[in-house]
Amino acid sequence: MLLLLLFGLLVHHLHNMVKVVRWAREPLGTHVPRALGIWDYIFANLSRRTRVAMEQREQLARSLARFREASQAMPDAVIYLSQHQTIEWLNTAAASYFGLDAERDLGRAITTLIREPDFVRFMKETEEARSVEPLILHSQRQDRLSLSIQRVPFGEDLEMILARDITQLERLDMMRRDFVANVSHELKTPLTVVNGFVETLLDAGDDIAPEDRQHFLSLALEQSMRMQHLIEDLLTLSSLQAGSEPAEEIPVNVQALLGSVLHEIQMLSGGRHQIRLEAGAPACLLGSQKELHSAFSNLASNAVRYTPEGGSILLRWHEKEDGGAEFSVEDSGIGIGPEHIGRLTERFYRVDRGRSRETGGTGLGLAIVKHVLTRHQAHLDIRSTPGKGSCFTASFAPKRIVPHAQS
Ligand code: ADP
């Protein structure tokens, strides 16, 4: 009887052991079998442990997925490297900056894929010898792409490559340097002239004829006024760039504005040109009186300055069918070649440096016009034929035009 009992017990244990072995071969997460006695307790424990392990695994997978999603969403390029500098993972930005494939290139050494000599040298630097400065790489693969690349070690012998697109920053930096060089150059010329006259006057002492003295002083005054114009234009430009909206939004009386611009250019022309104004129906333009005056007057005075004596100039305000309006300045002047038209609103861009200077130009007029118009959501259209004349048109949207009766 006892033997029979022992045999039964043995069969029970063997049966449950077989169940455990079978269950262990199944994938993680398979239900733990049910049993009686001590085996029920063992199976319940196993079941609890596997549940905890499964939960931890899922949590880890979720964290990893979130971490990858975050790295993927980063605007910068991210590449994870193993201790042998082979690629473990990379995001889309990295694939596009370096021309890598997020699947095919996994497991391959990074320096066999990105072979630019500066990059290979950078990747060979040991941690001790490595500079803290990022590597600036001008990509040979993608035209005009500049990258700032950093190596960030983490964990045990692992590292991350971070790369940022600095093309735009470099361009802005170059523009800033060009701008400073241009301003210095523009100021240097008149300053040299003024210095020369003052030195001559000092050296000559009383041995100079009063009319010569007068002549030198008036030339020096002309140059210092040129510098003053330049500074005024620079200040106008910088105040325009500081904000994107006009300084004020008031209904500006267009007829009065055009009248004052007309008067100014008549003075500038001194009767050398035939100047006409076609002002259309009375209207008001919503915006800044000061800025609009500066833009209109720059366009009109350019017409005088670039039109030889005897030429004609037409200032025109014209309301369009859609409710918008245009201000145009047409001249019969020297005109502009098509290759220059797209660059005229750049700061200090001039077709003929000599002529611009002779007529007191700073090279900033059209840059000011463009900024004022942008702030008023208007745009500038330039049509010109060399030797025949030019037409500059500023177009304003309907929302900027207020009929006179309402103003
Ligand atoms: P500037 O002070 O030199 O006149 P602007 O920015 O006002 O500077 O104009 C840029 C350049 O555009 C000028 O140097 C000139 O070459 C050209 N330009 C502007 N307006 C006219 C025009 N009405 N006719 C011919 N050329 C013009």
Side-chain angles (χ1 to χ4, degrees):
M1 180 68 190
L2 189 70
L3 217 64
L4 208 65
L5 209 67
L6 277 175
F7 182 70
L9 214 58
L10 191 68
V11 171
H12 170 69
H13 285 316
L14 274 174
H15 176 64
N16 281 313
M17 273 159 79
V18 170
K19 274 193 191 170
V20 172
V21 172
R22 276 203 193 131
W23 170 80
R25 284 207 200 110
E26 294 296 320
L28 203 63
T30 309
H31 278 296
V32 179
R34 305 241 30 161
L36 294 172
I38 182 81
W39 283 100
D40 189 40
Y41 173 74
I42 293 171
F43 285 150
N45 254 322
L46 274 175
S47 172
R48 195 174 44 79
R49 279 168 180 256
T50 44
R51 213 175 39 248
V52 171
M54 285 285 290
E55 272 167 17
Q56 278 175 348
R57 206 166 116 157
E58 273 166 23
Q59 204 172 357
L60 208 68
R62 272 201 302 274
S63 306
L64 195 68
R66 255 205 312 273
F67 180 64
R68 290 201 165 159
E69 266 171 35
S71 307
Q72 191 64 272
M74 266 174 71
D76 295 344
V78 184
I79 305 176
Y80 296 123
L81 295 183
S82 71
Q83 66 261 56
H84 306 298
Q85 296 197 333
T86 57
I87 299 178
E88 295 208 325
W89 187 82
L90 56 100
N91 68 357
T92 343
S96 122
Y97 291 169
F98 296 108
L100 300 173
D101 187 304
E103 283 170 16
R104 190 195 57 216
D105 291 335
L106 297 191
R108 295 177 66 185
I110 188 146
T111 46
T112 60
L113 297 165
I114 307 170
R115 291 158 176 265
E116 290 172 43
D118 285 349
F119 182 78
V120 174
R121 214 170 301 125
F122 178 68
M123 291 308 294
K124 280 196 180 138
E125 284 171 2
T126 58
E127 201 167 339
E128 299 76 49
R130 198 180 306 160
S131 140
V132 282
E133 293 298 318
L135 166 75
I136 306 296
L137 192 74
H138 301 284
S139 171
Q140 292 165 6
R141 219 182 51 80
Q142 273 190 54
D143 196 22
R144 283 198 283 271
L145 175 70
S146 298
L147 295 172
S148 162
I149 305 178
Q150 269 177 301
R151 286 173 68 180
V152 185
F154 73 102
E156 274 180 36
D157 290 339
L158 301 177
E159 65 179 326
M160 224 178 337
I161 302 287
L162 298 178
R164 169 166 295 181
D165 179 357
I166 54 161
T167 319
Q168 191 67 0
L169 275 178
E170 282 206 330
R171 214 172 65 86
L172 285 176
D173 197 41
M174 200 168 82
M175 274 169 64
R176 200 168 40 233
R177 269 182 282 141
D178 281 356
F179 181 66
V180 172
N182 272 323
V183 173
S184 318
H185 179 76
E186 295 289 333
L187 286 172
K188 198 175 155 211
T189 319
L191 255 181
T192 313
V193 178
V194 171
N195 282 352
F197 288 141
V198 173
E199 261 172 33
T200 313
L201 287 173
L202 279 176
D203 288 349
D206 291 337
D207 307 334
I208 188 164
E211 58 276 17
D212 286 345
R213 177 189 300 270
Q214 197 62 24
H215 179 62
F216 282 151
L217 284 174
S218 64
L219 287 177
L221 180 65
E222 202 177 280
Q223 294 301 320
S224 81
M225 277 167 66
R226 207 174 120 191
M227 288 189 275
Q228 194 179 349
H229 270 147
L230 180 67
I231 306 278
E232 276 165 8
D233 275 1
L234 282 171
L235 287 175
T236 309
L237 250 190
S238 87
S239 75
L240 289 175
Q241 281 164 349
S244 56
E245 291 293 308
E248 49 181 358
E249 293 269 355
I250 55 160
V252 178
N253 184 321
V254 175
Q255 266 62 25
L257 176 64
L258 296 184
S260 97
V261 172
L262 176 69
H263 180 67
E264 268 173 41
I265 63 163
Q266 277 168 337
M267 304 285 284
L268 185 66
S269 158
R272 289 175 298 127
H273 306 89
Q274 292 166 10
I275 306 177
R276 279 191 309 130
L277 168 67
E278 278 179 16
C284 281
L285 187 51
L286 213 55
S288 154
Q289 147 87 32
K290 198 167 150 228
E291 292 181 18
L292 291 168
H293 181 271
S294 162
F296 286 14
S297 135
N298 263 305
L299 290 177
S301 65
N302 275 354
V304 173
R305 292 170 44 235
Y306 298 103
T307 303
E309 193 165 350
S312 58
I313 294 162
L314 171 65
L315 306 184
R316 192 158 172 260
W317 174 262
H318 150 78
E319 283 181 15
K320 295 193 292 183
E321 276 178 7
D322 67 357
E326 286 176 349
F327 168 67
S328 64
V329 181
E330 204 175 323
D331 65 52
S332 63
I334 58 172
I336 308 154
E339 69 278 20
H340 300 290
I341 304 266
R343 300 195 57 191
L344 291 182
T345 55
E346 284 176 21
R347 295 174 300 189
F348 297 114
Y349 188 84
R350 290 147 160 144
V351 177
D352 176 350
R353 215 155 255 278
R355 179 158 191 138
S356 159
R357 289 234 176 80
E358 263 168 42
T359 56
T362 58
L364 296 174
L366 290 181
I368 293 176
V369 172
K370 186 186 142 196
H371 275 96
V372 170
L373 294 186
T374 307
R375 282 153 68 95
H376 288 79
Q377 296 84 43
H379 70 267
L380 182 67
D381 177 61
I382 308 172
R383 281 161 211 271
S384 187
T385 313
K388 289 222 161 115
S390 315
C391 183
F392 288 73
T393 306
S395 307
F396 294 88
K399 64 174 184 180
R400 287 267 162 205
I401 314 300
V402 191
H404 200 57
Q406 273 180 254
S407 57

